[in-house]
Amino acid sequence: MTHRVTRRGITAGAATAVAAAALTLLSTGAAHAAPDSVTWTDRIATVTRTVSDAAPKAGDTITVTTKFERSTSPDLQLNWVKDFHDACLTYVMDSAKVDDGTGARGVEPYLEIRPGFIAGDFMSTSYRVFVKPAGPVTFTAKYTVGASCNRGTPLSSGSSYQTSLGQGDCNSYGPFVTVAKDSDGGGVSTGSLGSLLGTGSSK
């Protein structure tokens, strides 16, 4: 299956301003959330996965949102969704939600929780989840950044899903989280300024 992956970061035109802001944050130790997202398209759907802070520090809680979109019929039924993350991130209980435009609904107790992923089973829930051309479906979960996470090293993540139109296996597509070094004292790692500027590699 062929995927087209697009990383959404800070635009090149804003690089100078961002660099200045980053240096200010590094010098003051101020916390700074740096959201990041990646989008891919396959024959099933267009999927956008977003992390609320791609440069957190140990102890922070981050939110990961996976959005499924379709532009044509037929409607897409989601059977299950796996959210992959580094094992040093700990899932926050009761935070997994799915929203098909009618309001967020909890996934537990139909949620498998493992060190490297969580998996929502929508075939077992009392409701069914459909991605329609009229609107997207989002799957959201929160994680706590552990003290055991490697510092200054991008941690891979991604998603896989089974649907009425087939299965997608994109468990390493990102976005990537780089935990700040302890000496930084804030949410920006001195070793990840390139990532902050959106100059990371793309697949």
PDB file of all heavy atoms in Angstrom, residues 77-80 110 120-129 162-164:
ATOM      1  N   GLN A  77     -16.344   2.303   8.017  1.00  0.00           N
ATOM      2  CA  GLN A  77     -16.548   1.863   9.392  1.00  0.00           C
ATOM      3  C   GLN A  77     -15.203   1.510  10.013  1.00  0.00           C
ATOM      4  O   GLN A  77     -14.421   0.739   9.451  1.00  0.00           O
ATOM      5  CB  GLN A  77     -17.468   0.647   9.476  1.00  0.00           C
ATOM      6  CG  GLN A  77     -17.715   0.202  10.928  1.00  0.00           C
ATOM      7  CD  GLN A  77     -18.741  -0.912  11.046  1.00  0.00           C
ATOM      8  OE1 GLN A  77     -19.331  -1.336  10.055  1.00  0.00           O
ATOM      9  NE2 GLN A  77     -18.972  -1.374  12.256  1.00  0.00           N
ATOM     10  N   LEU A  78     -14.922   2.095  11.187  1.00  0.00           N
ATOM     11  CA  LEU A  78     -13.710   1.776  11.929  1.00  0.00           C
ATOM     12  C   LEU A  78     -13.991   0.587  12.846  1.00  0.00           C
ATOM     13  O   LEU A  78     -14.875   0.663  13.706  1.00  0.00           O
ATOM     14  CB  LEU A  78     -13.258   2.970  12.764  1.00  0.00           C
ATOM     15  CG  LEU A  78     -12.588   4.144  12.051  1.00  0.00           C
ATOM     16  CD1 LEU A  78     -12.236   5.233  13.057  1.00  0.00           C
ATOM     17  CD2 LEU A  78     -11.333   3.692  11.319  1.00  0.00           C
ATOM     18  N   ASN A  79     -13.254  -0.494  12.655  1.00  0.00           N
ATOM     19  CA  ASN A  79     -13.414  -1.659  13.519  1.00  0.00           C
ATOM     20  C   ASN A  79     -12.538  -1.555  14.766  1.00  0.00           C
ATOM     21  O   ASN A  79     -12.994  -1.806  15.873  1.00  0.00           O
ATOM     22  CB  ASN A  79     -13.080  -2.941  12.748  1.00  0.00           C
ATOM     23  CG  ASN A  79     -14.013  -3.164  11.583  1.00  0.00           C
ATOM     24  OD1 ASN A  79     -15.150  -2.702  11.591  1.00  0.00           O
ATOM     25  ND2 ASN A  79     -13.542  -3.863  10.565  1.00  0.00           N
ATOM     26  N   TRP A  80     -11.275  -1.193  14.566  1.00  0.00           N
ATOM     27  CA  TRP A  80     -10.386  -0.922  15.688  1.00  0.00           C
ATOM     28  C   TRP A  80      -9.282   0.028  15.266  1.00  0.00           C
ATOM     29  O   TRP A  80      -8.961   0.147  14.085  1.00  0.00           O
ATOM     30  CB  TRP A  80      -9.813  -2.197  16.303  1.00  0.00           C
ATOM     31  CG  TRP A  80      -9.096  -3.163  15.383  1.00  0.00           C
ATOM     32  CD1 TRP A  80      -9.584  -4.335  14.902  1.00  0.00           C
ATOM     33  CD2 TRP A  80      -7.764  -3.044  14.850  1.00  0.00           C
ATOM     34  NE1 TRP A  80      -8.648  -4.952  14.107  1.00  0.00           N
ATOM     35  CE2 TRP A  80      -7.512  -4.195  14.064  1.00  0.00           C
ATOM     36  CE3 TRP A  80      -6.753  -2.087  14.961  1.00  0.00           C
ATOM     37  CZ2 TRP A  80      -6.317  -4.408  13.386  1.00  0.00           C
ATOM     38  CZ3 TRP A  80      -5.543  -2.287  14.286  1.00  0.00           C
ATOM     39  CH2 TRP A  80      -5.336  -3.455  13.517  1.00  0.00           C
ATOM     40  N   TYR A 110     -13.429  -1.137  26.482  1.00  0.00           N
ATOM     41  CA  TYR A 110     -13.061  -1.853  25.257  1.00  0.00           C
ATOM     42  C   TYR A 110     -11.757  -1.297  24.689  1.00  0.00           C
ATOM     43  O   TYR A 110     -11.661  -0.970  23.514  1.00  0.00           O
ATOM     44  CB  TYR A 110     -14.198  -1.753  24.247  1.00  0.00           C
ATOM     45  CG  TYR A 110     -15.503  -2.222  24.827  1.00  0.00           C
ATOM     46  CD1 TYR A 110     -16.504  -1.316  25.179  1.00  0.00           C
ATOM     47  CD2 TYR A 110     -15.730  -3.573  25.069  1.00  0.00           C
ATOM     48  CE1 TYR A 110     -17.694  -1.751  25.735  1.00  0.00           C
ATOM     49  CE2 TYR A 110     -16.920  -4.023  25.627  1.00  0.00           C
ATOM     50  CZ  TYR A 110     -17.895  -3.103  25.961  1.00  0.00           C
ATOM     51  OH  TYR A 110     -19.065  -3.540  26.528  1.00  0.00           O
ATOM     52  N   GLY A 120      -8.292   0.530  20.609  1.00  0.00           N
ATOM     53  CA  GLY A 120      -9.724   0.662  20.839  1.00  0.00           C
ATOM     54  C   GLY A 120     -10.507  -0.266  19.934  1.00  0.00           C
ATOM     55  O   GLY A 120     -10.321  -0.241  18.709  1.00  0.00           O
ATOM     56  N   ASP A 121     -11.380  -1.084  20.512  1.00  0.00           N
ATOM     57  CA  ASP A 121     -12.185  -2.051  19.760  1.00  0.00           C
ATOM     58  C   ASP A 121     -13.603  -1.513  19.626  1.00  0.00           C
ATOM     59  O   ASP A 121     -14.398  -1.584  20.562  1.00  0.00           O
ATOM     60  CB  ASP A 121     -12.181  -3.394  20.490  1.00  0.00           C
ATOM     61  CG  ASP A 121     -13.004  -4.457  19.786  1.00  0.00           C
ATOM     62  OD1 ASP A 121     -13.510  -4.182  18.677  1.00  0.00           O
ATOM     63  OD2 ASP A 121     -13.146  -5.559  20.350  1.00  0.00           O
ATOM     64  N   PHE A 122     -13.938  -1.000  18.433  1.00  0.00           N
ATOM     65  CA  PHE A 122     -15.257  -0.405  18.232  1.00  0.00           C
ATOM     66  C   PHE A 122     -16.301  -1.409  17.772  1.00  0.00           C
ATOM     67  O   PHE A 122     -17.464  -1.049  17.604  1.00  0.00           O
ATOM     68  CB  PHE A 122     -15.151   0.750  17.232  1.00  0.00           C
ATOM     69  CG  PHE A 122     -14.155   1.791  17.641  1.00  0.00           C
ATOM     70  CD1 PHE A 122     -13.067   2.089  16.852  1.00  0.00           C
ATOM     71  CD2 PHE A 122     -14.287   2.453  18.854  1.00  0.00           C
ATOM     72  CE1 PHE A 122     -12.132   3.035  17.235  1.00  0.00           C
ATOM     73  CE2 PHE A 122     -13.362   3.399  19.254  1.00  0.00           C
ATOM     74  CZ  PHE A 122     -12.283   3.690  18.447  1.00  0.00           C
ATOM     75  N   MET A 123     -15.894  -2.659  17.588  1.00  0.00           N
ATOM     76  CA  MET A 123     -16.862  -3.704  17.275  1.00  0.00           C
ATOM     77  C   MET A 123     -17.506  -4.236  18.552  1.00  0.00           C
ATOM     78  O   MET A 123     -18.548  -4.890  18.509  1.00  0.00           O
ATOM     79  CB  MET A 123     -16.188  -4.846  16.507  1.00  0.00           C
ATOM     80  CG  MET A 123     -15.601  -4.428  15.164  1.00  0.00           C
ATOM     81  SD  MET A 123     -16.851  -3.713  14.062  1.00  0.00           S
ATOM     82  CE  MET A 123     -17.818  -5.176  13.663  1.00  0.00           C
ATOM     83  N   SER A 124     -16.867  -3.977  19.691  1.00  0.00           N
ATOM     84  CA  SER A 124     -17.387  -4.452  20.973  1.00  0.00           C
ATOM     85  C   SER A 124     -18.182  -3.393  21.721  1.00  0.00           C
ATOM     86  O   SER A 124     -18.917  -3.711  22.654  1.00  0.00           O
ATOM     87  CB  SER A 124     -16.226  -4.938  21.860  1.00  0.00           C
ATOM     88  OG  SER A 124     -15.543  -6.013  21.264  1.00  0.00           O
ATOM     89  N   THR A 125     -18.033  -2.131  21.335  1.00  0.00           N
ATOM     90  CA  THR A 125     -18.753  -1.058  22.005  1.00  0.00           C
ATOM     91  C   THR A 125     -20.240  -1.102  21.661  1.00  0.00           C
ATOM     92  O   THR A 125     -20.660  -1.780  20.721  1.00  0.00           O
ATOM     93  CB  THR A 125     -18.181   0.312  21.596  1.00  0.00           C
ATOM     94  OG1 THR A 125     -18.250   0.436  20.173  1.00  0.00           O
ATOM     95  CG2 THR A 125     -16.732   0.456  22.045  1.00  0.00           C
ATOM     96  N   SER A 126     -21.034  -0.373  22.427  1.00  0.00           N
ATOM     97  CA  SER A 126     -22.478  -0.307  22.173  1.00  0.00           C
ATOM     98  C   SER A 126     -22.794   0.581  20.985  1.00  0.00           C
ATOM     99  O   SER A 126     -23.934   0.623  20.519  1.00  0.00           O
ATOM    100  CB  SER A 126     -23.202   0.222  23.419  1.00  0.00           C
ATOM    101  OG  SER A 126     -22.729   1.527  23.755  1.00  0.00           O
ATOM    102  N   TYR A 127     -21.806   1.288  20.476  1.00  0.00           N
ATOM    103  CA  TYR A 127     -21.973   2.165  19.318  1.00  0.00           C
ATOM    104  C   TYR A 127     -21.027   1.731  18.203  1.00  0.00           C
ATOM    105  O   TYR A 127     -20.071   0.997  18.426  1.00  0.00           O
ATOM    106  CB  TYR A 127     -21.700   3.621  19.696  1.00  0.00           C
ATOM    107  CG  TYR A 127     -20.356   3.848  20.350  1.00  0.00           C
ATOM    108  CD1 TYR A 127     -19.196   4.025  19.588  1.00  0.00           C
ATOM    109  CD2 TYR A 127     -20.209   3.880  21.742  1.00  0.00           C
ATOM    110  CE1 TYR A 127     -17.957   4.228  20.168  1.00  0.00           C
ATOM    111  CE2 TYR A 127     -18.980   4.080  22.343  1.00  0.00           C
ATOM    112  CZ  TYR A 127     -17.858   4.256  21.556  1.00  0.00           C
ATOM    113  OH  TYR A 127     -16.632   4.443  22.142  1.00  0.00           O
ATOM    114  N   ARG A 128     -21.295   2.157  16.996  1.00  0.00           N
ATOM    115  CA  ARG A 128     -20.416   1.910  15.863  1.00  0.00           C
ATOM    116  C   ARG A 128     -19.849   3.247  15.390  1.00  0.00           C
ATOM    117  O   ARG A 128     -20.473   4.297  15.566  1.00  0.00           O
ATOM    118  CB  ARG A 128     -21.166   1.217  14.718  1.00  0.00           C
ATOM    119  CG  ARG A 128     -21.650  -0.174  15.093  1.00  0.00           C
ATOM    120  CD  ARG A 128     -20.483  -1.124  15.315  1.00  0.00           C
ATOM    121  NE  ARG A 128     -20.917  -2.459  15.695  1.00  0.00           N
ATOM    122  CZ  ARG A 128     -21.010  -2.891  16.956  1.00  0.00           C
ATOM    123  NH1 ARG A 128     -20.708  -2.070  17.952  1.00  0.00           N
ATOM    124  NH2 ARG A 128     -21.405  -4.118  17.217  1.00  0.00           N
ATOM    125  N   VAL A 129     -18.654   3.185  14.792  1.00  0.00           N
ATOM    126  CA  VAL A 129     -17.955   4.410  14.404  1.00  0.00           C
ATOM    127  C   VAL A 129     -17.793   4.429  12.886  1.00  0.00           C
ATOM    128  O   VAL A 129     -17.205   3.513  12.309  1.00  0.00           O
ATOM    129  CB  VAL A 129     -16.574   4.498  15.083  1.00  0.00           C
ATOM    130  CG1 VAL A 129     -15.848   5.768  14.643  1.00  0.00           C
ATOM    131  CG2 VAL A 129     -16.725   4.464  16.598  1.00  0.00           C
ATOM    132  N   GLN A 162      -8.074  -1.077  11.420  1.00  0.00           N
ATOM    133  CA  GLN A 162      -8.814  -2.013  10.578  1.00  0.00           C
ATOM    134  C   GLN A 162     -10.187  -1.418  10.317  1.00  0.00           C
ATOM    135  O   GLN A 162     -10.853  -0.937  11.238  1.00  0.00           O
ATOM    136  CB  GLN A 162      -8.966  -3.374  11.242  1.00  0.00           C
ATOM    137  CG  GLN A 162      -9.616  -4.417  10.337  1.00  0.00           C
ATOM    138  CD  GLN A 162      -9.863  -5.723  11.047  1.00  0.00           C
ATOM    139  OE1 GLN A 162     -10.829  -5.862  11.782  1.00  0.00           O
ATOM    140  NE2 GLN A 162      -8.975  -6.694  10.836  1.00  0.00           N
ATOM    141  N   THR A 163     -10.595  -1.456   9.041  1.00  0.00           N
ATOM    142  CA  THR A 163     -11.830  -0.807   8.642  1.00  0.00           C
ATOM    143  C   THR A 163     -12.621  -1.710   7.703  1.00  0.00           C
ATOM    144  O   THR A 163     -12.170  -2.786   7.312  1.00  0.00           O
ATOM    145  CB  THR A 163     -11.536   0.518   7.913  1.00  0.00           C
ATOM    146  OG1 THR A 163     -11.106   0.226   6.570  1.00  0.00           O
ATOM    147  CG2 THR A 163     -10.458   1.325   8.622  1.00  0.00           C
ATOM    148  N   SER A 164     -13.784  -1.233   7.322  1.00  0.00           N
ATOM    149  CA  SER A 164     -14.624  -1.962   6.374  1.00  0.00           C
ATOM    150  C   SER A 164     -14.032  -1.980   4.977  1.00  0.00           C
ATOM    151  O   SER A 164     -14.479  -2.741   4.116  1.00  0.00           O
ATOM    152  CB  SER A 164     -16.025  -1.336   6.341  1.00  0.00           C
ATOM    153  OG  SER A 164     -15.948   0.052   6.039  1.00  0.00           O
TER     154      SER A 164
END
